[in-house]
């Protein structure tokens, strides 16, 4: 586990806590130090502060993603929404907002770690949803749903990244292609169509949740 | 003769009737003497024309009335001294009557013409002065001088134009003046009141000509000032808005960092799932204690800043040795004083400052220097006494500052948005500067590419000699 923050006190508290929770912890106070540290001793996960001296959290995320799929958990604060979304777009997996609770941090960390361990299976079950990736078929309560190709691609993207926050830009790039990265109204329309099919109550979604200002997240609420 | 001396000559002569009478008599006497000298060589009757040389200067200098008097007096003197029978006012020959009449008529016409020329010259000069004053006023007012600053000088200049000793100006900028005097109007609008002493009478034609132009100028200047103030108020609002945004951003970050550390440490200590060693517990408890102190300092800084910005700060000055100030400041650094090296002169200089405030300023400089000092380097505190001031320096070997940043970093909340991601409270340096200046000191930053960054604070050297018995 690599913890990156320029506040020595936060670093110290996190280091002590995570070590007590059973993780091995390395620390870094700058973006450059974090990149070096990650190369020397590849971590299982990176906890990364957004605002750092030298290279920012966004740049560190981008450079890490060039060579590793290690889960990156962003520490952000109110007022840093713009940078937070940029870091997520650059490949970070998730974020917690300062001052975060310990339980929240550990839960997000465990979820991130689990995702990398999940193998690419042809069959995904999320709540009462059953997604057969190879047959391009989706069942809800055993009933076959009829999805358009774009709706299926969208659901598949969410399903293989279950629990992970996906930004608007990331989804548009994956489903529609890089030329559509800024067409977020497409996305809102397709998400609401998809919700009408997979959610029992589309106005109060259980699976496909909105992260205000950032993106969407498919959760396994079962 | 230059224009100004003519003018002053007029100004002096206007007030001296005796001088005019004396001068007129002297002119007549001088011409009479000249005729007396020439009368052997030239026929005496033709010499009467010389009296025009008496009439002309008198007309130019003292005006029509004296000139006509001089013309009549000259003819009487000519008759009395030179025309037979001499030493009487009687005349023997009829032709002499005719000559006298011609001389007199010529004298009167010449005096009238000269007096008119004199009047025109005086009026032209007066207009010139009026125009010069208006031009000077408009330049001063349009270049941004405030009307309120001119309330002494402007009416004095106006009084000079009106030919009186003094005047007072009351503007209707804020409230309608209740005073009675000459109303200054620009169009239909009352601009103000010009108060003239009752006893003195100003020239009505000058008033009618000059005051409307003067009033319009005042009106323009007042409008401009009003607009300028509105613009300033709008700018101040905009600034205070952006400062508020900066405060929110900075305070949000500065509050959340310690809060995050405290929350994580607290929840760890409380969590039954974690296995904490005794050393871990101590570390977490230390974190909580230190971060609480940091929050406390942040709140104190915010209060200081709001007091400084409201101008509500008072300094209770006392004599204190510099080494004592430095010692007190170090004691507030909560465990980080180990990496501060002190280099003070043996006979510590004495300054006259508010101890608490300058300690805070020093602590803020030290915290800033420690924050940006590279690991394993010391922050150095030096003091040097000069003949009239004491300079305290806090130096580190941190990254050099750009020339343009040396002043900017003292602005509140500037530290919060460093481009390279460095974050400070954004308050400490602004507060240090506020306290230093409130105590008669100065504070500035210097940056050397090789030697790091130096923050200097200077105070006047206190007078420590025991004063002579009062």
């Amino acid at each position: 586990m690599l913890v990156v923050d320029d506040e020595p006190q936060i670093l110290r508290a996190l280091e002590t806590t995570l070590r007590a929770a059973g993780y091995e912890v390395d620390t870094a106070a700058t973006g450059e130090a974090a990149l070096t540290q990650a190369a020397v001793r590849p971590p299982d996960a990176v906890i990364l502060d957004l605002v750092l001296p030298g290279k920012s959290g966004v740049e560190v995320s981008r450079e890490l993603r060039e060579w590793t799929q290690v889960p990156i958990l962003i520490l952000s604060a109110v007022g840093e929404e713009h940078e937070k979304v940029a870091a997520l777009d650059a490949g970070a997996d998730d974020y917690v907002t300062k001052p975060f609770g310990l339980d929240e941090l550990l839960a997000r960390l465990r979820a991130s770690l689990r995702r990398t361990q999940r193998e690419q299976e042809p069959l995904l079950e999320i709540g009462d949803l059953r997604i057969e990736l190879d047959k391009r078929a989706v069942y809800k309560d055993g009933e076959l749903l009829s999805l358009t190709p774009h709706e299926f691609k969208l659901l598949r993207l969410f399903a293989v990244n279950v629990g992970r926050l996906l930004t608007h830009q990331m989804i548009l790039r994956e489903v529609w292609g890089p030329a559509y990265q800024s067409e977020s109204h497409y996305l809102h329309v397709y998400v609401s169509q998809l919700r009408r099919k997979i959610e029992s109550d589309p106005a109060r979604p259980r699976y496909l949740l909105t992260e205000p200002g950032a993106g969407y997240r498919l959760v396994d609420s079962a | 003769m230059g224009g100004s001396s003519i003018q002053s000559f007029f100004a002096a002569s206007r007030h001296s009737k005796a001088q005019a009478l004396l001068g007129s008599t002297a002119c007549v006497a001088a011409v009479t003497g000249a005729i007396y000298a020439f009368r052997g060589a030239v026929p005496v009757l033709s010499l009467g024309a010389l009296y025009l040389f008496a009439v002309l200067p008198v007309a130019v200098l003292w005006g029509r009335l004296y000139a006509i008097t001089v013309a009549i007096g000259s003819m009487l003197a000519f008759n009395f001294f030179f025309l037979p029978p001499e030493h009487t006012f009687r005349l023997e020959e009829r032709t002499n009557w005719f000559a006298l009449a011609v001389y007199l008529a010529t004298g009167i016409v010449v005096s009238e013409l000269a007096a008119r020329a004199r009047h025109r010259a005086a009026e032209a000069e007066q207009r010139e002065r009026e125009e010069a004053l208006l031009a000077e006023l408009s330049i001063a007012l349009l270049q941004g001088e405030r009307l309120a600053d001119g309330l002494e000088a402007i009416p004095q200049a106006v009084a000079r134009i009106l030919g009186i000793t003094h005047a007072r100006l009351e503007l209707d900028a804020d409230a309608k003046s209740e005073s009675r005097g000459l109303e200054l109007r620009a169009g239909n609008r009352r601009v103000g009141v010009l108060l003239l002493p009752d006893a003195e009478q100003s020239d009505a034609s000058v008033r009618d000509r000059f005051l409307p132009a003067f009033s319009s100028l005042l009106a323009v200047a007042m409008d401009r000032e009003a607009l300028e103030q509105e613009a300033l108020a709008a700018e101040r609002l905009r600034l205070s808005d952006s400062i508020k945004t900066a405060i929110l951003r900075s305070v949000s970050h500065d509050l959340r960092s310690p809060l995050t550390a405290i929350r994580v440490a607290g929840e760890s200590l409380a969590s039954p799932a974690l296995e904490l060693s005794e050393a871990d517990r101590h570390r977490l408890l230390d974190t909580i204690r230190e971060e609480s102190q940091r929050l406390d300092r942040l709140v104190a800084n915010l209060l200081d800043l709001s007091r400084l910005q409201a101008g509500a700060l008072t300094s209770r000055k006392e004599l204190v040795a510099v080494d004592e100030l430095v010692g007190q400041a170090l004691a507030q650094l909560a465990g980080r004083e180990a990496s501060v090296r002190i280099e003070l002169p043996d006979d510590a200089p004495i300054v006259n400052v508010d101890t608490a405030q300058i300690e805070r300023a020093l602590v803020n400089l030290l915290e800033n220097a420690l924050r940006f000092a590279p690991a394993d380097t010391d922050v150095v505190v030096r003091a040097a006494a000069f003949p009239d001031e004491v300079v305290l320096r806090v130096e580190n070997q941190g990254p050099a500052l750009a020339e343009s940043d040396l002043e900017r970093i003292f602005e509140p909340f500037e530290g919060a948005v460093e481009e390279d991601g460095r974050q400070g409270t954004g308050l400490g340096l602004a507060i240090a500067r506020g306290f230093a200046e409130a105590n008669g000191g100065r504070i500035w930053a210097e940056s050397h590419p090789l030697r790091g960054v130096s923050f200097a604070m200077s105070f006047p050297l206190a007078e420590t000699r025991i004063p002579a018995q009062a």
Side-chain angles (χ1 to χ4, degrees), chain A residues 1 23 44-45 71 108-117:
Chain A
M1 186 83 41
Y23 297 104
D44 293 330
R108 287 280 159 84
L109 202 54
R110 279 194 296 268
S112 298
L113 288 169
R114 244 199 334 266
R115 266 198 301 283
T116 52
Q117 289 154 6

Side-chain angles (χ1 to χ4, degrees), chain B residues 125-142:
Chain B
E125 238 166 71
Q126 167 75 17
R127 280 175 195 257
E128 204 172 282
R129 273 186 292 162
E130 289 165 20
E131 276 158 25
L133 176 65
L134 288 176
E136 200 177 305
L137 267 180
S138 53
I139 288 172
L141 292 176
L142 296 181

Side-chain angles (χ1 to χ4, degrees), chain A residues 6-17 19-22 49 51-55 76-80 83 97-106, chain B residues 249 252-253 256-265 267-268 271 273-276 279-284 286-288 290-291 294 371 419-423:
Chain A
D6 62 331
E7 293 287 337
Q9 302 289 3
I10 292 184
L11 220 48
R12 185 163 78 164
L14 283 179
E15 186 185 0
T16 310
T17 301
R19 201 161 276 159
D49 189 22
V51 184
L52 293 170
K55 282 201 166 100
S76 79
V78 172
E80 298 170 358
E83 293 89 335
T97 305
K98 291 178 185 177
F100 44 82
L102 184 61
D103 292 341
E104 185 188 4
L105 177 73
L106 292 176
Chain B
R249 219 183 136 89
S252 139
H253 175 270
R256 270 166 214 283
S257 287
L259 278 178
T260 303
I262 291 172
R263 187 166 173 187
V264 168
E267 289 183 4
S268 292
S271 168
L274 298 180
E275 287 181 18
L276 293 167
D280 285 346
R281 285 183 181 283
H282 275 296
R283 275 155 61 91
L284 294 175
D286 280 347
T287 300
I288 292 175
E290 285 164 22
E291 293 299 89
R294 197 168 135 201
R371 185 174 189 89
E419 276 166 30
D420 58 359
R422 289 194 306 197
Q423 290 206 335

Side-chain angles (χ1 to χ4, degrees), chain B residues 50 83 88 138 188 277 284 322 327 425:
Chain B
L50 287 180
L83 296 183
T88 70
S138 53
N188 293 326
S277 68
L284 294 175
V322 166
T425 61

Side-chain angles (χ1 to χ4, degrees), chain A residues 1-4 14 18 23-28 34-35 37-39 41-49 60-61 64-65 67-75 91-94 105-117:
Chain A
M1 186 83 41
L2 175 60
V3 184
V4 191
L14 283 179
L18 291 173
Y23 297 104
E24 277 180 49
V25 183
D26 291 320
T27 62
L35 288 169
Q37 186 70 39
R41 220 160 89 97
D44 293 330
V46 179
I47 297 177
L48 179 62
D49 189 22
V60 174
S61 305
L64 280 175
R65 273 295 167 266
W67 57 274
T68 171
Q69 285 305 309
V70 61
I72 301 174
L73 184 61
I74 293 290
L75 304 181
D93 293 79
D94 212 337
L105 177 73
L106 292 176
R108 287 280 159 84
L109 202 54
R110 279 194 296 268
S112 298
L113 288 169
R114 244 199 334 266
R115 266 198 301 283
T116 52
Q117 289 154 6

Side-chain angles (χ1 to χ4, degrees), chain B residues 167-281:
Chain B
R168 202 154 57 81
L169 182 63
E170 286 183 7
L171 295 175
D172 285 356
D174 304 315
K176 226 175 171 62
S177 165
E178 293 296 320
S179 312
R180 299 171 65 83
L182 271 180
E183 273 202 345
L184 299 175
R185 307 193 72 92
N188 293 326
R189 168 176 154 209
R190 208 178 96 126
V191 181
V193 179
L194 193 62
L195 298 157
L196 308 171
D198 285 342
E200 288 176 293
Q201 278 306 310
S202 56
D203 187 338
S205 67
V206 174
R207 262 188 348 232
D208 291 348
R209 187 176 58 221
F210 176 70
L211 292 183
F214 176 65
S215 308
S216 306
L217 187 57
L218 285 184
V220 170
M222 281 161 72
D223 289 350
R224 195 193 53 104
E225 271 181 24
L227 283 175
E228 206 167 69
Q229 269 162 12
E230 273 171 38
L232 262 179
E235 173 66 9
R236 237 178 270 134
L237 266 182
R238 197 189 62 72
L239 256 181
S240 84
D241 250 22
S242 65
I243 286 177
K244 270 183 208 133
T245 313
I247 291 179
L248 283 178
R249 219 183 136 89
S250 159
V251 168
S252 139
H253 175 270
D254 286 358
L255 287 175
R256 270 166 214 283
S257 287
L259 278 178
T260 303
I262 291 172
R263 187 166 173 187
V264 168
E267 289 183 4
S268 292
L269 286 168
S271 168
L274 298 180
E275 287 181 18
L276 293 167
S277 68
E278 194 59 25
D280 285 346
R281 285 183 181 283

